[in-house]
Amino acid sequence: MRELKQERAVRTRAIILKAAAEVFDELGFSGANIREITQRAGITQGAMYFHFGSKEELARAVMKAQPMTVLPHLATRGLQRLIDLTFVWAHRLREDVILRAGVRLTGEQNSFGMHDPTPYQDWAAVMSECLREARAAGELSDNVDIEVLADFVVSACTGMQMYSQISCERADLMDRVVAMWQHLLPALRAPGDVSPLDGSALRAAEVLREIAPQRLGAGQETRTAP
Amino acid sequence: MRELKQERAVRTRAIILKAAAEVFDELGFSGANIREITQRAGITQGAMYFHFGSKEELARAVMKAQPMTVLPHLATRGLQRLIDLTFVWAHRLREDVILRAGVRLTGEQNSFGMHDPTPYQDWAAVMSECLREARAAGELSDNVDIEVLADFVVSACTGMQMYSQISCERADLMDRVVAMWQHLLPALRAPGDVSPLDGSALRAAEVLREIAPQRLGAGQETRTAP
């Protein structure tokens, strides 16, 4: 009985988060309001406040959820995982409203008085993990400081999606990500490392083909890690 | 007589731009209003509307003015000029209200319904010019596509300043810029090129020392290109 209740709470929370993301994605933080979100989620205000105490708390939860829209789609390790992560991210950003709203809120938070670096730091932590695997596997040049590089990739991705959004609603974002790897990989690879690392547009297409069946399926809620 | 009038108009326009930048920097686009800007500029609303037809037009002018807050401080050519540009930019961003407001408006424009890629494109054009000089001087690897690289550096700088702002009010921005060059230069340099290219923290400090006398002087209005 208690377990059933917990399951329902988890499901309700996910429904609220999705509804909030839709509203934040459309209207931004200042344009969004709790009533619109509860209506879209089909729940009472009471249920809403049981899960999220305020609009700000909702915004934090949406920002925080970003990595989980990408990580379940990754099957590789080390430096290739980091590359694949950016490809999946660029793709999901056009498809997944939670990711898109999280990115919008993260970028706009300054304008509504929030100053929360954790969405950036969470991405950097995920990327650092890939880089630690890469180092252990001998893929990574000794010159690379893992935390510094992870921060740089987070920054570059942040700026690329902004520039791409304002230029063409992110239609060219994948090309920009491919170009990033072309510019970065020479400095990152350990001399003599022969692992078949691929940051090309062909690899990007391959990664997207691998996640395509899921994407056409029942949605990310049912996705399990490969 | 006509010339005097023109001079006065140019001066008034500069005063308005500075006042608008101060207000946009503090309050963002939605928080700013024309009356506050005219009061701060010490001009009448009539004079304001003679120069700028709307708040949106003011915002565009501030965004457009970004490169001119940096370019007069550059003395080098080619790839070193591009590197120095990013160092001066990182420094001026903390000192120059027009640059800072331009960056804020460029990033936030989506949230107030403006979709103008030209501030990004203007920076990319300035950087492409440096890269064309670099190519002519044999500094640049044949693998580098000038426009693609310029777009990437603009993106990376955009993201770095956002991440840095939210983390520490840009106190670590220069370190991040130095790290960018450490990660990028290996892919950019023509094999065998021996020009003394420097993207280090030492070079950053040197560039800032060179502009220091000006910075402590009469302000950028009186600055002429070196």
Side-chain angles (χ1 to χ4, degrees):
Chain A
M1 185 66 186
R2 162 161 300 185
E3 226 166 352
L4 274 177
K5 245 188 179 168
Q6 272 180 358
E7 268 175 39
R8 206 184 319 137
V10 168
R11 206 172 51 244
T12 305
R13 200 180 183 281
I15 289 168
I16 298 173
L17 207 67
K18 178 110 185 297
E22 286 173 10
V23 175
F24 286 135
D25 180 46
E26 279 168 36
L27 305 172
F29 183 83
S30 21
N33 71 68
I34 293 271
R35 191 159 49 159
E36 166 87 21
I37 295 169
T38 52
Q39 279 174 355
R40 211 177 283 213
I43 57 158
T44 63
Q45 295 239 0
M48 165 67 82
Y49 285 111
F50 176 77
H51 288 276
F52 298 98
S54 65
K55 187 166 82 165
E56 183 174 314
E57 208 177 296
L58 265 171
R60 282 187 200 277
V62 171
M63 291 196 285
K64 190 85 186 163
Q66 291 177 65
M68 287 320 296
T69 66
V70 169
L71 295 182
H73 301 290
L74 300 177
T76 46
R77 309 280 291 169
L79 205 39
Q80 188 65 55
R81 184 179 178 86
L82 175 57
I83 295 168
D84 292 351
L85 185 159
T86 60
F87 291 153
V88 172
W89 166 84
H91 172 72
R92 299 299 297 164
L93 201 40
R94 304 190 71 198
E95 306 267 331
D96 189 314
V97 72
I98 292 182
L99 178 57
R100 201 163 52 240
V103 163
R104 176 171 184 169
L105 291 168
T106 301
E108 288 180 6
Q109 54 174 314
N110 209 31
S111 66
F112 53 84
M114 211 187 281
H115 305 277
D116 181 3
T118 56
Y120 295 103
Q121 290 162 350
D122 289 349
W123 278 120
V126 165
M127 293 185 182
S128 292
E129 181 62 33
C130 301
L131 289 168
R132 276 191 293 274
E133 285 176 6
R135 175 141 290 159
E139 295 173 344
L140 209 57
S141 161
D142 288 344
N143 296 326
V144 170
D145 179 311
I146 285 177
E147 270 70 36
V148 171
L149 174 60
D151 267 1
F152 179 67
V153 176
V154 171
S155 295
C157 287
T158 300
M160 286 190 297
Q161 62 82 14
M162 289 181 66
Y163 190 172
S164 176
Q165 183 188 25
I166 218 90
S167 302
C168 58
E169 297 188 340
R170 302 202 179 106
D172 68 2
L173 181 55
M174 193 63 82
D175 296 340
R176 291 173 187 261
V177 174
V178 168
M180 171 177 76
W181 290 116
Q182 189 198 329
H183 292 127
L184 281 184
L185 283 179
L188 308 193
R189 298 203 68 166
D193 174 49
V194 292
S195 50
L197 218 52
D198 192 349
S200 71
L202 281 176
R203 174 62 191 165
E206 191 180 18
V207 170
L208 299 198
R209 266 198 310 279
E210 281 165 17
I211 68 171
Q214 190 280 326
R215 187 160 61 84
L216 300 170
Q220 68 184 54
E221 298 81 19
T222 61
R223 175 75 177 179
T224 53
Chain B
M1 185 63 189
R2 164 161 297 186
E3 228 166 353
L4 274 178
K5 245 187 178 168
Q6 273 180 358
E7 268 175 39
R8 206 185 317 138
V10 167
R11 206 170 51 243
T12 305
R13 199 180 183 282
I15 290 168
I16 298 173
L17 207 68
K18 179 110 186 296
E22 286 172 10
V23 176
F24 286 134
D25 179 45
E26 279 169 36
L27 305 172
F29 183 83
S30 21
N33 70 68
I34 293 271
R35 192 162 44 164
E36 166 87 21
I37 295 169
T38 53
Q39 278 174 356
R40 210 176 284 212
I43 58 160
T44 63
Q45 294 239 0
M48 166 67 82
Y49 285 112
F50 175 79
H51 288 277
F52 298 99
S54 65
K55 188 166 82 165
E56 183 174 314
E57 208 177 297
L58 265 172
R60 281 186 202 279
V62 172
M63 290 196 286
K64 189 83 186 167
Q66 290 176 66
M68 286 321 295
T69 65
V70 169
L71 296 182
H73 301 288
L74 300 177
T76 46
R77 311 278 293 168
L79 205 39
Q80 188 64 56
R81 183 178 178 85
L82 176 57
I83 295 168
D84 291 351
L85 185 159
T86 59
F87 290 153
V88 173
W89 166 83
H91 172 72
R92 299 299 296 164
L93 201 42
R94 303 190 71 198
E95 306 268 330
D96 188 312
V97 73
I98 292 182
L99 179 58
R100 202 163 52 238
V103 162
R104 175 169 184 171
L105 291 168
T106 301
E108 287 181 7
Q109 55 173 313
N110 209 33
S111 67
F112 53 85
M114 210 186 282
H115 305 277
D116 182 3
T118 57
Y120 296 102
Q121 290 162 350
D122 289 348
W123 277 120
V126 165
M127 293 185 183
S128 292
E129 182 62 33
C130 301
L131 289 168
R132 275 192 293 275
E133 285 176 5
R135 175 141 290 158
E139 296 173 344
L140 209 56
S141 160
D142 289 343
N143 295 326
V144 169
D145 179 312
I146 285 177
E147 270 70 36
V148 171
L149 175 59
D151 267 1
F152 180 67
V153 177
V154 171
S155 294
C157 288
T158 299
M160 286 189 299
Q161 61 81 14
M162 289 181 67
Y163 190 172
S164 176
Q165 183 190 21
I166 219 90
S167 302
C168 57
E169 297 188 340
R170 300 202 180 107
D172 68 1
L173 181 54
M174 193 65 82
D175 296 339
R176 291 173 186 259
V177 174
V178 168
M180 171 176 77
W181 290 116
Q182 187 197 332
H183 292 128
L184 281 183
L185 283 179
L188 308 193
R189 298 203 69 166
D193 175 48
V194 292
S195 50
L197 219 52
D198 192 348
S200 71
L202 281 176
R203 173 63 191 165
E206 189 179 19
V207 170
L208 299 197
R209 267 199 310 278
E210 281 166 17
I211 69 172
Q214 190 281 323
R215 189 160 61 84
L216 300 171
Q220 68 184 57
E221 299 80 20
T222 59
R223 176 75 179 177
T224 52

